[in-house]
Amino acid sequence: MAAGTGEVQWCFSQVKGTVEEDVTEADIISTVEFNHDGELLATGDKGGRVVIFQRDQATKNSSPRRGDYNVYSTFQSHEPEFDYLKSLEIEEKINKIKWLSRQNHAHFLLSTNDKTVKLWKVSERDKMWEGYNLKDDDGSLRDPMGFGNLKVPLVKPMELMVEASPRRIFANAHTYHINSISVNSDGETYISADDLRINLWHLAVTDQSFNIVDIKPANMEELTEVITAAEFHPHECNTFVYSSSKGTIRLCDMRAQALCDQHSKMFEEPEDPSNRSFFSEIISSISDVRFSHSGRYLISRDYLSVKVWDIHMDSGPVETYQVHEYLRSKLCSLYENDCIFDKFECVWNGTDSAIMTGSYNNFFRMFDRNTKRDITLEASRENAKPKQVLKPRRVCAGGKRKKDEISVDSLDFNKKILHTAWHPSENIIAVAATNNLYIFTDKQ
């Protein structure tokens, strides 16, 4: 698989998570995100927990270089809640995590469940103060009349402790479920999107947000589409995009007007009449949209394909990659088991030359934009030997099956790769498979 420079062979590096067959619902990974320099990797799960992994410096500087990550911090980000007004349970599941650009020694990240966004500070402490005058080492207060000489407190080294503390809680602004958050390039604001609205927040203000997109019709019976994803441009703080369940992507400019219901550009591909079916509208719904690092291109993921769009050309996608076209004949059974509604994410590599997205049977796909080659790889504990090169997998859609192929009828639709992440500057990828996190690196 080419990913920027030459052929890349992907090797197993690590797997995090338990081996048990019976997976607890709370342990299922629901989001994966590298920070801006790739030194930290965060995962969120359905139990409301955030686990942060830190790059192992010894393996980073070793020869050959490896991409190993160790647990850095684990904390409970969200708890289950109950909306008494609507008699609805609010799940603790982490829908998205986004890192803020680093300003000092601490790291900051945003995490969100269906209703509430939280800003977390993750910092290290390896020193402690000792020798207070008015309190003992255990923190209990002394009698101010009972001590004699004045002491100067001393700083003593202590075992490294990583603390995660909530700095802001952004609540009560979404009627519907939050599906996306995106931090602006100005470092001061971010957007949160639910099914019908997108809100603009300032990171320092929790009691006020501005509604910048509202597609809710006056009569809910006239509702024809919902917002599925939203993201800020990586360099232009006034530009953002959002995708819809109708297969459209709208580019908006906040300089034009306060309420961005009128888009600057709309990207959509007319449907091929020969492929028209009962499922057309469902499979055309966009589950994820991402700007390239350069800001020139967008990728969007629908059920069967990944499309690349040039933001200067709204007549149609410039590239289309089929992810699992062999499932087109299986749409009826996928509709019956609800898999057709699965929301797959897609990611760019650091140079915008390759794209990764997930599929079923713990398969994930990579597409090289330069050579137009693609590859299917599998996240499996059977391949979990250090430095073992991953063998390409092939699916047989029909006819005679070759030796190394797997039949489309034997694919496991309960094993799905929905969430993936690519290191911002190296060929290191993180792939979430149910409750396990697989990390793969290129062969040096």
Side-chain angles (χ1 to χ4, degrees), residues 27 45 97 102 124 230 242 245 263-264 268 291 359 415:
D27 292 336
D45 62 26
I97 291 172
R102 197 172 182 185
E124 296 181 355
Y242 68 93
S245 56
H263 50 268
S264 303
E268 66 176 328
F291 270 106
S359 182
K415 292 180 177 177

Side-chain angles (χ1 to χ4, degrees), residues 3 98 218 424 444:
K98 293 293 176 185
Q444 296 291 310

Side-chain angles (χ1 to χ4, degrees), residues 49-166:
R49 294 180 297 266
V50 172
V51 180
I52 302 174
F53 300 93
Q54 185 181 45
R55 182 88 178 265
D56 187 313
Q57 295 302 311
T59 59
K60 178 184 177 181
N61 301 321
S62 65
S63 183
R65 179 183 48 76
R66 299 212 324 269
D68 288 2
Y69 285 77
N70 303 318
V71 174
Y72 180 63
S73 176
T74 303
F75 58 92
Q76 188 73 32
S77 172
H78 287 70
E79 301 279 358
E81 297 175 55
F82 192 80
D83 186 334
Y84 292 97
L85 199 62
K86 297 178 179 172
S87 295
L88 285 175
E89 286 185 26
I90 302 169
E91 288 184 342
E92 65 272 39
K93 174 193 161 196
I94 307 296
N95 291 340
K96 283 285 184 288
I97 291 172
K98 293 293 176 185
W99 292 92
L100 275 63
S101 294
R102 197 172 182 185
Q103 308 291 337
N104 50 37
H105 290 300
H107 297 274
F108 288 87
L109 62 85
L110 288 170
S111 64
T112 185
N113 66 350
D114 285 341
K115 297 289 183 183
T116 304
V117 184
K118 295 184 181 182
L119 174 66
W120 291 89
K121 177 184 179 182
V122 182
S123 55
E124 296 181 355
R125 195 147 63 99
D126 61 357
K127 295 179 179 67
M128 63 185 295
W129 289 90
E130 278 186 2
Y132 290 102
N133 290 287
L134 295 176
K135 60 182 179 182
D136 293 317
D137 290 339
D138 63 0
S140 57
L141 293 174
R142 288 180 183 163
D143 180 3
M145 306 301 293
F147 68 87
N149 295 331
L150 194 66
K151 294 187 293 185
V152 177
L154 301 172
V155 177
K156 293 280 185 74
M158 59 177 272
E159 187 180 343
L160 179 67
M161 189 166 74
V162 181
E163 297 176 315
S165 53

